[in-house]
Amino acid sequence: MSELSETGVGTPQTNTPEISVSELANALKRTIEDRFGRVRVRGEISNYRGAHASGHAYFCLKDQNARLDAVIWKSAFSRLRTRPQEGLEVVATGRITTFPGKSSYQIVIESLEPAGVGALMALLDARRKALAAEGLFDEARKRPLPFLPHVVGVVTSPTGAVIRDILHRLNDRFPRHVLLWPVRVQGETCAQEVAAAIAGFNALTPGGAIPRPDVLIVARGGGSLEDLWGFNEEIVIRAAAASEIPLISAIGHETDTTLLDHVADLRAPTPTAAAEKAAPVRAELLEHLAGRARRLDAARQRGMERRRNELATFARLLPSRDALFANPRQRLDRAGERLRGGVRQTMDERKLRLSRIGTLLARHSPQAELARLREKLKGFDARLTQGLAARVKLAGQQQENARHRLANAGRRLTLAIAAGFGQRREALSRLSRLQDSLSHRAVLARGFALVREANGALARSVAQAPPGADLSIEFA
């Protein structure tokens, strides 16, 4: 106990050295981290709002009596097999440290797993209900498998017994071209690799350098619920639902069930059974085809025998050849007789007509016709000669009349021309006298002169005829 001073303030009676708040906080941090270097804490996730913008996640772990702050750094968050969910009971593995800025302690989580099978089953059931509500498990969206695929795509581990069982079973049944997409079938990256493999097979171009599979098999051997958890992840379920290639799920043994089995187009109890579902048995197909061929041959033989019997029956029902052709033969004979009689009658008629025509031709023979034509031609010649003579005489008279008319017209034309020349001479004489009366020469005759400059222009004043100028003077 310390004594009170006169002012009432207690003075400590100790030799403990003074330290700063930061030194105390760091000392506490080192002590806690040394004492609790790595711990596993079980509790319920609380106040989880998803990853921060920085990629880190902050929340709390609580039980009935206490609460512990928790943080998952971005680098560890991407590797978690189980993602935090509000209200999920988990077992967190990490280290205890302090945060001096708040005088609080917290756990830095490195791994996270559900607290027991019960928690996993609760998480699985909640996820199954949520995905089923979206319609991803509906039977209507599932497609039938191809009867005989050319290429089979397998998503599984390349080192396990699963791929060997699938290849062995396919070779026994019907050898097919198999493409393997190697993935981890357990662990933190299992879900991402399986989803990427399904999407990668769907991204292949049909007919490309790497053939696109006609059917996919996603397979894994048996294991615990934790081992098969990667095939319950939402990323895998959505990749399978988006697959355009029919998908067979073969996860675990017959009693194992994952969410991939619900979304797949077909669930196989084992990987071997998946191979059996993917391809038929070649020997059975050959036997089936051989049986069909035998049945077809037997049916053909029975059909030919039945038709042979039917033909024999019809042959017995048909009349004989002579009976069948008797009436046609008689009709043909009668038609032949009528044809011969008709031909003879026609020949007789043609002969009679030809005789009549011959008689007519005799009366109108070419010689007789020529004689008649000669007589007609002589008559035409006589009439033509008389006509031509009359026309020549008439033409002579017309020519003489035209000659008289032409002579009369010539005399009248001469008189008319002479009269016209006289009239024109008189008019010309009058114009000449008028010209003389109006001409400048009459003025010149009275003693005047016409003066022109050198360029021929009239000089009308003294100014136009200066001394020394070249002038042209015209007298009467």
Side-chain angles (χ1 to χ4, degrees):
M1 298 294 292
S2 60
E3 297 180 355
L4 293 176
S5 64
E6 295 180 353
T7 61
V9 178
T11 57
Q13 301 295 322
T14 178
N15 294 326
T16 303
E18 294 180 356
I19 61 175
S20 66
V21 175
S22 297
E23 290 174 341
L24 178 59
N26 290 330
L28 290 173
K29 179 179 178 69
R30 288 192 298 271
T31 301
I32 291 177
E33 289 180 352
D34 292 342
R35 174 65 180 81
F36 301 98
R38 185 176 180 82
V39 297
R40 285 170 57 84
V41 181
R42 180 169 181 164
E44 179 182 332
I45 295 177
S46 176
N47 293 332
Y48 178 70
R49 298 294 182 268
H52 194 267
S54 62
H56 313 312
Y58 302 93
F59 54 93
C60 298
L61 292 176
K62 68 177 184 178
D63 58 13
Q64 295 87 343
N65 302 315
R67 193 184 81 167
L68 174 63
D69 289 340
V71 60
I72 305 176
W73 303 129
K74 178 181 179 181
S75 58
F77 190 84
S78 61
R79 297 194 302 270
L80 291 179
R81 292 176 55 189
T82 302
R83 297 301 174 92
Q85 293 186 19
E86 181 70 20
L88 179 65
E89 186 177 4
V90 296
V91 175
T93 302
R95 54 188 176 83
I96 300 296
T97 184
T98 64
F99 181 54
K102 290 180 58 178
S103 296
S104 63
Y105 64 94
Q106 61 188 8
I107 179 172
V108 179
I109 298 175
E110 298 174 355
S111 66
L112 199 66
E113 58 188 43
V117 176
L120 281 177
M121 292 301 295
L123 177 61
L124 180 63
D125 186 62
R127 185 174 294 170
R128 180 183 60 79
K129 290 180 180 178
L131 295 175
E134 296 182 24
L136 298 183
F137 301 157
D138 293 345
E139 291 295 329
R141 58 168 299 278
K142 297 187 178 184
R143 296 154 298 182
L145 302 181
F147 176 71
L148 184 61
H150 295 285
V151 180
V152 178
V154 180
V155 180
T156 189
S157 172
T159 59
V162 171
I163 185 62
R164 293 195 296 271
D165 292 342
I166 292 175
L167 293 176
H168 178 71
R169 196 58 177 161
L170 286 175
N171 287 331
D172 287 345
R173 292 175 65 84
F174 206 123
R176 298 283 85 191
H177 183 58
V178 178
L179 289 179
L180 171 64
W181 196 298
V183 297
R184 291 183 179 89
V185 293
Q186 183 176 338
E188 297 177 355
T189 61
C190 169
Q192 289 81 2
E193 293 184 15
V194 172
I198 296 174
F201 272 132
N202 279 272
L204 293 176
T205 303
I210 300 178
R212 185 184 186 189
D214 301 307
V215 66
L216 296 182
I217 298 176
V218 181
R220 186 202 186 282
S224 64
L225 179 61
E226 292 82 356
D227 295 336
L228 304 180
W229 190 254
F231 299 94
N232 292 318
E233 294 290 351
E234 186 174 348
I235 186 175
V236 175
I237 306 308
R238 294 194 181 279
S243 174
E244 297 178 357
I245 305 174
L247 187 143
I248 302 174
S249 172
I251 308 301
H253 299 300
E254 188 170 357
T255 56
D256 297 324
T257 302
T258 64
L259 294 182
L260 183 61
D261 297 330
H262 296 288
V263 74
D265 296 295
L266 180 68
R267 179 200 179 249
T270 61
T272 302
E276 293 176 355
K277 299 290 186 182
V281 180
R282 186 171 184 272
E284 293 179 358
L285 287 178
L286 293 176
E287 178 61 27
H288 180 72
L289 291 176
R292 288 293 183 92
R294 290 192 296 270
R295 291 175 57 189
L296 180 62
D297 185 66
R300 183 177 60 81
Q301 294 293 339
R302 289 194 300 271
M304 291 182 63
E305 184 64 26
R306 184 175 63 254
R307 284 169 175 75
R308 191 178 294 111
N309 294 333
E310 291 175 353
L311 183 61
T313 301
F314 291 151
R316 289 193 298 271
L317 294 176
L318 289 174
S320 64
R321 182 181 61 183
D322 293 338
L324 187 63
F325 290 105
N327 291 333
R329 284 195 184 113
Q330 291 180 359
R331 288 197 297 271
L332 181 61
D333 292 340
R334 291 179 180 177
E337 292 176 357
R338 289 197 298 272
L339 179 61
R340 286 191 293 272
V343 169
R344 286 194 297 269
Q345 182 178 358
T346 301
M347 292 291 291
D348 293 341
E349 292 175 353
R350 295 293 176 83
K351 288 179 180 178
L352 179 59
R353 184 177 178 184
L354 184 59
S355 175
R356 293 174 180 172
I357 292 173
T359 303
L360 292 175
L361 286 177
R363 289 199 298 268
H364 300 282
S365 64
Q367 293 79 5
E369 291 294 330
L370 285 175
R372 286 195 293 272
L373 289 176
R374 287 193 189 96
E375 293 297 329
K376 289 182 179 180
L377 186 57
K378 289 179 180 179
F380 289 152
D381 187 26
R383 290 195 297 273
L384 180 59
T385 301
Q386 294 175 357
L388 286 176
R391 288 186 179 183
V392 168
K393 183 178 180 180
L394 178 61
Q397 293 176 355
Q398 291 176 350
Q399 185 176 7
E400 185 64 24
N401 295 334
R403 189 179 296 111
H404 290 302
R405 288 196 298 274
L406 185 58
N408 294 331
R411 287 193 295 272
R412 289 195 300 272
L413 180 60
T414 301
L415 294 176
I417 290 174
F421 277 139
Q423 294 174 359
R424 282 168 176 74
R425 286 193 193 95
E426 182 63 27
L428 184 59
S429 177
R430 288 195 302 271
L431 290 175
S432 178
R433 289 192 297 271
L434 179 61
Q435 181 182 9
D436 291 339
S437 64
L438 297 177
S439 174
H440 66 282
R441 296 186 181 278
V443 179
L444 295 178
R446 292 197 300 270
F448 292 94
L450 185 63
V451 180
R452 289 187 177 88
E453 297 180 20
N455 56 6
L458 291 176
R460 300 180 183 276
S461 65
V462 176
Q464 291 179 308
D470 290 335
L471 298 175
S472 174
I473 300 175
E474 181 180 357
F475 296 99

